[in-house]
């Protein structure tokens, strides 16, 4: 792809790119660059261009899809992406069609809510899962499929759906009941991040009644949950570094018993319907540090525990790594879990959306770019409608091999 051709035909950039990717057989080496015309030209002109050359991925390595929980939402999430990507819009229509049957507002309405309203559990959880489902469907249509899945808190339900353990309607029905039940619990709990090892904190908690471990995110970062006064006392006297989190409830603690009971009832109904099944691909269980199977998917007690007990996210990551998974893709409007994931699995490859801005089409294409050394996406699906154009041929090196001057 020449600099001159891009500058001369900026309006044909999509057709030029599609011709070079979907229109030709993949070669042994490649350069993948995303952005505006001038950003791509700058990348092609870069003195560090060799850093962008990737060997054609053989064999393919699919990523683990990582789904974060509450806190990953933000006002405006998904709106720009829906404006820019026809594939994401189609996926969003599919999600909204099922969500409406459960009495869930259209995702575009949830995503436009002011931050204070969107942070309410009954709004945040459907908004997060709706985004995760729509992005997953989009990536699947682009040939990017998960090798395994893992989720944090509400994200574990999306992970189970993405692994084939339930259909989209079942996912949204369970999420809606879970979110509504949590929203019915009076606000007033507290949570705090704590930088210490689980074993050390567990021994200290004997002296701090009411404080519970809500999540083990890495070997160095925990989340604590409990009454505000108990959390404050721990922060002031434990001698450990802590930071209060901005939350409305003491999630993943005994305070969530009402929601756990309601979720258990919903799981029992779906068990009787036969709508929960063995995952098609591995799905890590953060309650047990093992794997979801038909038994765990249909266990009201386990899903109740997923609300009232700790999220053992670090253990789930170690389980995935022990079974050979070394590539992780965070499915989120913004970077949330990748940092703690890298602390737990520093040797693994982590691909995440931008940490500060809501994901748009450029951000999704950047994810595809970082995945391209590991797998071969469906470039034709990504490019959409396009026309073949004249593009530079391969730079064949030609040599003459005459037997001898006298034989010419």
């Amino acid at each position: 792809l020449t600099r001159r051709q891009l500058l001369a035909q900026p309006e044909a950039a999509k057709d030029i790119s599609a011709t070079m990717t979907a229109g030709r057989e993949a070669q042994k080496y490649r350069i993948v660059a995303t952005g505006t015309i001038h950003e791509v030209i700058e990348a092609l002109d870069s003195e560090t261009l060799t850093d962008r050359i990737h060997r054609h991925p053989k064999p393919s390595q699919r990523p683990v899809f990582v789904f974060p929980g509450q806190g990953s939402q933000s006002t405006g999430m998904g709106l720009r992406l829906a404006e820019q990507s026809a594939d994401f819009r189609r996926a969003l229509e599919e999600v909204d069609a099922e969500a409406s049957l459960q009495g869930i507002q259209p995702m575009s309405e949830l995503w436009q809510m002011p931050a204070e309203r969107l942070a309410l559990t009954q709004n945040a959880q459907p908004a997060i899962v709706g985004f995760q489902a729509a992005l997953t469907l989009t990536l699947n249509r682009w040939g990017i499929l998960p090798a395994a899945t893992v989720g944090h808190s509400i994200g574990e339900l999306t992970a189970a759906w993405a692994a084939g353990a339930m259909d989209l309607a079942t996912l949204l029905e369970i999420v809606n009941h879970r979110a509504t039940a949590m929203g019915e619990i009076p606000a007033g709990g507290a949570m705090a991040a704590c930088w210490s090892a689980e074993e050390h904190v567990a021994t200290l908690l004997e002296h701090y009644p009411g404080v519970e471990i809500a999540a083990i995110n890495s070997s160095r970062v925990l989340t604590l949950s409990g009454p505000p006064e108990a959390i404050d006392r721990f922060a002031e006297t434990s001698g450990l570094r802590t930071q209060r989190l901005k939350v409305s409830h003491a999630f993943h603690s005994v305070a969530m018993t009402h929601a756990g009971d309601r979720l258990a009832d919903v799981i029992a109904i779906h068990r009787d319907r036969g709508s929960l099944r063995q995952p098609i691909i591995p799905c890590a269980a953060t309650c047990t540090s093992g794997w979801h199977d038909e038994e765990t998917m249909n266990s009201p007690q386990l899903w109740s525990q997923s609300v009232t007990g700790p999220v053992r996210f670090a253990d789930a990551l170690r389980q995935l790594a022990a079974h050979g998974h070394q590539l992780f893709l965070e499915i989120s409007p913004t970077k949330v879990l990748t940092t703690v994931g890298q602390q737990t699995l520093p040797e693994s490859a982590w691909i995440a959306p931008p940490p500060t801005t809501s994901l748009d089409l450029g951000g999704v294409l950047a994810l595809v770019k970082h995945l391209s050394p590991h797998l071969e996406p469906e470039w034709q699906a990504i490019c959409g409608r396009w026309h073949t154009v004249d593009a530079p041929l391969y730079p064949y090196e030609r040599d003459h091999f005459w037997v001898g001057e006298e034989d010419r």
Side-chain angles (χ1 to χ4, degrees), residues 59 205 242 273 300:
L205 291 188
T242 60
R273 290 180 188 168

Side-chain angles (χ1 to χ4, degrees), residues 2 4 13 19 85 89 91 119 142 157 220 279 299 312 342 389:
T2 66
R4 175 169 51 82
T19 299
S85 170
R89 280 196 303 276
W142 290 356
L157 284 166
R220 306 196 300 268
S299 170
R312 306 196 69 84
Q342 289 170 325
V389 296

